[in-house]
Amino acid sequence: MMRRNNPDIRSAEEAVVQAGLDLKDSKASFSPTISISGSMTYMSEPLVGPVIMESSDILSQMGLGSYSDMASGYVTLYDGMENTMYMGTLSLTQPLITWGKLGKAVDLYKNILTAQSLRKDDTVAQNKAELRIRVWSMKYLEEMEGLVDEAMALSKELVDMAKSSYENGMILRQDWLEAEISSLEVEVKKAELDDNYSSLMEGLRSLIGDYSVSYSDFILPEDESFLYKYRESNLDDLILAATGEDSNNLKAIKNLIGAYTNQKTIADRSLYGIPDFALQAQLTYSSSRLPLIETGWKQNDNNSLNLSIGFKTTLWDGGKAINDVKRAQSNIRSAESQYDSALSQIRVAVTSNYNGMMKNIANIQYQSEKIQNLEMELENIRIGLSYGQNSVSDEKQKMLEIVEAKSNLLASKIALVQNVYTLDYLVGAEIL
């Protein structure tokens, strides 16, 4: 669903499509450009009218003047132009010598297509990592919600006990207020948890492009072994893997540098006085009738074929060509700086998440052992309760401590999930 609906992925895919079309356009520049144009003109009064002469005049011009007196009448020598005129032109332009600029343009758009494809893959990987993080976080937040509900119930019981003890003069009012404050703190945590859960679900719906999904629509993961996949890994090895040749982000920037380098080559070869040569062929036709309709159109001198080789170069444009070279050089330096910045950010991200992972693993172990110890203490309190050595309030308070420790454990797992999946994304590992 995410691959199909996520707007970032769809936008990245369209960027790849557009880059592919640009590459096809650059390759098409090697092919000739063929165009055809035509027109039909209707003239109510043709430029050349009919030619009519008397018979005697014709005979006189032929040297037959003795017969001219016997001739009478008029002879139509030319009916005149027809009212219609058809004109057409078929032209072909083929680049001959461009000093390699067309080839460099193809290389430039290949770089851009590769960069856009890598960025699309990077966007998919980034969204996959975010998707997994949100699903696991949803699982742990759901468990935390049950713990918070249990904590609220325990806090309420402790408040009621404190109130009763205060009314019986067994504790101070301050002790009662402290119990109420603790209960309010649990309610605040409940509100924060609800807000986090709501934000998490909305982000998840936005990520997969379906705003109708709910918690029950997901099959939640169970195997937590992946949380410890990088525990034995070396930080330097992870940094090397994240900044190596397989990094989509870095490879995309490298291709961007290549594109700007080709852009500079094109600009260098477009400087003043460097001519481009092309062949142009033009076939024209003009007549009062269309070809194949006009009688004897092949014999009429109504068409012509012209072949020419031309060149074009810029002698001066106010310095724009020089600026194009400088602009390309600036783009190269900017992309190189972007590469260095990305390299630094990846190093920082790997280091931060690695250290966060180790801290959260240690905290999970600490909270797990703390829970075991608290449960043993609770068991001892219950034993003491049966002998009248402890109070119900002691039991409830210890149960509340256990709930808090379990909540802290789940919070550390949420943070650990974020660390591990972020490391997966950074080192280019398969996100499962």
Side-chain angles (χ1 to χ4, degrees):
M1 291 174 67
M2 182 189 72
R3 285 179 176 273
R4 184 174 61 251
N5 299 328
N6 184 268
D8 292 334
I9 295 178
R10 286 162 52 195
S11 178
E13 289 174 343
E14 291 305 316
V16 173
V17 172
Q18 293 176 14
L21 294 174
D22 291 337
L23 177 59
K24 290 182 179 180
D25 287 344
S26 65
K27 291 180 178 180
S29 299
F30 286 100
S31 303
T33 300
I34 301 174
S35 60
I36 185 171
S37 62
S39 65
M40 188 278 286
T41 303
Y42 177 81
M43 299 173 289
S44 60
E45 296 183 1
L47 298 176
V48 181
V51 178
I52 302 173
M53 295 183 66
E54 291 187 6
S55 301
S56 59
D57 292 339
I58 296 174
L59 292 174
S60 296
Q61 291 180 12
M62 296 175 61
L64 301 174
S66 58
Y67 296 96
S68 61
D69 295 336
M70 296 182 295
S72 62
Y74 294 91
V75 177
T76 300
L77 300 180
Y78 175 60
D79 292 333
M81 292 179 61
E82 297 189 21
N83 296 88
T84 57
M85 173 62 70
Y86 296 92
M87 302 181 66
T89 302
L90 178 66
S91 63
L92 178 147
T93 302
Q94 173 64 56
L96 294 179
I97 301 175
T98 61
W99 312 106
K101 288 185 288 188
L102 296 182
K104 287 298 179 180
V106 172
D107 294 339
L108 184 154
Y109 286 109
K110 281 182 179 178
N111 289 135
I112 293 177
L113 176 59
T114 302
Q116 295 292 4
S117 298
L118 290 169
R119 284 176 174 171
K120 183 206 73 173
D121 294 340
D122 184 73
T123 301
V124 172
Q126 192 172 3
N127 280 273
K128 283 179 67 177
E130 183 181 352
L131 176 66
R132 295 296 186 182
I133 290 171
R134 287 184 178 275
V135 170
W136 274 97
S137 298
M138 180 173 64
K139 168 187 171 66
Y140 292 135
L141 284 179
E142 186 71 15
E143 294 179 17
M144 288 178 68
E145 187 173 5
L147 291 173
V148 170
D149 290 340
E150 183 179 349
M152 290 183 67
L154 289 171
S155 297
K156 186 176 183 304
E157 291 179 12
L158 286 170
V159 170
D160 292 340
M161 291 179 184
K163 180 181 179 182
S164 176
S165 297
Y166 169 73
E167 290 175 347
N168 293 327
M170 298 175 63
I171 62 173
L172 298 175
R173 178 174 175 78
Q174 183 180 356
D175 296 327
W176 176 23
L177 291 176
E178 287 179 355
E180 288 186 331
I181 291 172
S182 298
S183 178
L184 291 174
E185 287 178 353
V186 175
E187 292 183 9
V188 171
K189 290 182 180 180
K190 171 67 173 176
E192 291 176 349
L193 182 64
D194 291 342
D195 180 62
N196 291 336
Y197 187 83
S198 177
S199 298
L200 178 69
M201 281 301 299
E202 286 305 309
L204 190 56
R205 289 163 179 158
S206 176
L207 195 64
I208 64 178
D210 187 346
Y211 291 89
S212 64
V213 296
S214 61
Y215 176 82
S216 60
D217 294 322
F218 290 91
I219 300 175
L220 298 178
E222 297 291 341
D223 186 9
E224 296 181 341
S225 60
F226 83 97
L227 291 173
Y228 307 96
K229 63 186 296 187
Y230 293 114
R231 180 167 53 182
E232 304 300 328
S233 299
N234 181 273
L235 176 59
D236 292 334
D237 292 338
L238 291 176
I239 292 176
L240 186 62
T243 57
E245 296 181 353
D246 294 331
S247 171
N248 287 335
N249 194 13
L250 295 180
K251 284 193 294 184
I253 299 175
K254 285 182 179 179
N255 275 275
L256 193 61
I257 294 173
Y260 288 137
T261 302
N262 287 315
Q263 182 188 45
K264 180 182 178 299
T265 302
I266 294 172
D268 287 335
R269 297 176 185 179
S270 300
L271 286 172
Y272 308 118
I274 302 177
D276 293 334
F277 293 87
L279 168 69
Q280 187 171 46
Q282 191 174 66
L283 176 63
T284 61
Y285 173 84
S286 61
S287 177
S288 60
R289 296 189 182 183
L290 293 172
L292 306 178
I293 297 177
E294 178 185 19
T295 304
W297 66 276
K298 288 185 178 181
Q299 290 74 31
N300 293 336
D301 190 17
N302 295 331
N303 55 79
S304 64
L305 175 64
N306 300 316
L307 298 175
S308 59
I309 294 178
F311 74 92
K312 180 181 180 181
T313 184
T314 301
L315 297 179
W316 182 247
D317 59 1
K320 292 181 180 179
I322 297 176
N323 292 337
D324 287 341
V325 175
K326 294 180 178 179
R327 187 176 293 108
Q329 292 173 335
S330 177
N331 287 335
I332 293 173
R333 292 192 298 268
S334 177
E336 289 173 345
S337 298
Q338 186 179 349
Y339 181 87
D340 294 338
S341 176
L343 198 62
S344 176
Q345 290 176 11
I346 290 173
R347 289 177 179 273
V348 170
V350 171
T351 302
S352 175
N353 281 279
Y354 179 83
N355 292 335
M357 175 192 70
M358 300 304 291
K359 181 191 72 173
N360 287 312
I361 288 176
N363 195 39
I364 288 173
Q365 184 176 0
Y366 163 72
Q367 294 294 343
S368 297
E369 293 182 2
K370 181 179 180 180
I371 290 170
Q372 292 179 3
N373 185 61
L374 290 172
E375 288 177 343
M376 292 175 61
E377 292 180 357
L378 176 62
E379 185 64 25
N380 291 332
I381 288 175
R382 286 173 174 171
I383 293 174
L385 185 62
S386 63
Y387 290 101
Q389 297 176 351
N390 298 106
S391 65
V392 175
S393 176
D394 294 333
E395 179 189 26
K396 299 298 182 183
Q397 187 64 45
K398 190 59 63 175
M399 291 173 64
L400 193 59
E401 291 180 21
I402 293 174
V403 168
E404 183 178 0
K406 287 181 178 180
S407 296
N408 292 334
L409 176 65
L410 291 174
S412 294
K413 285 187 176 182
I414 291 176
L416 182 58
V417 165
Q418 294 174 341
N419 295 143
V420 172
Y421 276 124
T422 302
L423 286 172
D424 274 349
Y425 162 69
L426 291 171
V427 303
E430 179 65 22
I431 299 176
L432 303 175

